[in-house]
Amino acid sequence: VPGESTDQMWYEPINKMHQPITAEHFRICTEARSKMQIRILGFDPNTASLENILYPSRGRNRQMNPAAVNVFNHLSTAMGLLYQEVYFTNDRIIQQRESIRARTEQLVNRCDCFPPGTK
């Protein structure tokens, strides 16, 4: 079964599966994927859709799960802060961006493939 050994990361080709493919085949593939993710990632990711997490109930007037909304709001805030602290204002990153931009502009100016004045 794929995912059970370190030699085999991916599923066998689908054309080798029995025909017709049944729910049992999907169960086997899902189980193998789960084992592979636990082995490689160290955990089995939740594959539920964001819609199902945010709107756990069914029906016409579905209410959002306040706890899920809170988690996503905190995650979004944390990601924004991380970006600001690490990437946006870091002088080294700004210098690298400027250096890359200047080098690219020099190369474009030297190349005859671009119209004159291209930056």
Side-chain angles (χ1 to χ4, degrees):
V1 175
E4 289 186 342
S5 73
T6 55
D7 298 333
Q8 190 175 18
M9 281 183 50
W10 307 106
Y11 307 130
E12 289 291 327
I14 291 181
N15 63 356
K16 290 186 179 179
M17 295 185 92
H18 301 288
Q19 297 295 330
I21 296 174
T22 65
E24 178 64 13
H25 293 105
F26 282 101
R27 188 195 62 74
I28 290 168
C29 289
T30 300
E31 188 177 294
R33 183 189 67 218
S34 177
K35 288 178 183 178
M36 180 266 303
Q37 289 173 325
I38 289 170
R39 188 182 78 250
I40 293 174
L41 302 174
F43 64 95
D44 190 9
N46 184 347
T47 57
S49 71
L50 292 179
E51 183 178 8
N52 289 340
I53 293 170
L54 288 170
Y55 298 97
S57 61
R58 302 203 182 271
R60 288 184 134 180
N61 297 321
R62 302 184 328 171
Q63 298 293 316
M64 290 180 96
N65 178 347
V69 171
N70 192 34
V71 167
F72 285 116
N73 285 339
H74 284 297
L75 178 62
S76 177
T77 300
M79 289 169 61
L81 289 172
L82 178 66
Y83 176 80
Q84 291 290 329
E85 291 172 2
V86 175
Y87 299 105
F88 186 71
T89 58
N90 189 323
D91 288 338
R92 185 176 58 83
I93 298 295
I94 292 171
Q95 290 172 351
Q96 285 177 344
R97 285 180 188 162
E98 177 56 27
S99 173
I100 292 168
R101 187 206 57 75
R103 286 184 204 162
T104 304
E105 188 174 322
Q106 287 173 355
L107 292 171
V108 167
N109 286 333
R110 290 182 191 168
C111 182
D112 294 336
C113 340
F114 297 100
T118 302
K119 292 187 175 189

